[in-house]
Amino acid sequence: MSLEDSKPDVTADLSGKTCPYTVMGARDALKPLATGQVLEVIIDYEPAANESIPNFLKKKKYPFNVSEIETGKWKFLIEKND
């Protein structure tokens, strides 16, 4: 099953937050998850959707999928793998 077809185990709605709080929120939501669990993150801050969160996830080597679910709102699906 691909990540975009996964049902998230936890959702973190970070709408209204800007950097660095978007990355901090995603990081903090990932911490309690077990390896293989999927976190859904909802954000409405474009710099975080295009740069901050993807850069953080690539550095941590977490598999992720991002999609724009409506104009100005993005959904990340992130698999914890450590």
Side-chain angles (χ1 to χ4, degrees):
M1 179 190 324
S2 65
L3 191 55
E4 55 267 7
D5 297 328
S6 298
K7 183 181 182 317
D9 296 289
V10 176
T11 298
D13 188 346
L14 303 176
S15 299
K17 305 254 188 238
T18 60
C19 291
Y21 302 106
T22 52
V23 174
M24 291 166 51
R27 179 199 64 200
D28 291 348
L30 280 162
K31 279 183 184 176
L33 298 183
T35 298
Q37 286 190 301
V38 175
L39 171 66
E40 176 183 61
V41 175
I42 308 294
I43 62 168
D44 59 1
Y45 185 61
E46 188 171 7
N50 293 327
E51 294 178 34
S52 304
I53 293 177
N55 289 343
F56 165 73
L57 297 172
K58 287 174 188 170
K59 182 179 175 185
K60 290 291 199 177
K61 298 186 172 130
Y62 288 145
F64 71 95
N65 174 271
V66 61
S67 57
E68 191 168 17
I69 52 177
E70 61 185 68
T71 302
K73 199 165 213 171
W74 294 266
K75 173 178 80 171
F76 281 83
L77 290 173
I78 307 162
E79 181 182 343
K80 183 156 183 192
N81 68 351
D82 59 359

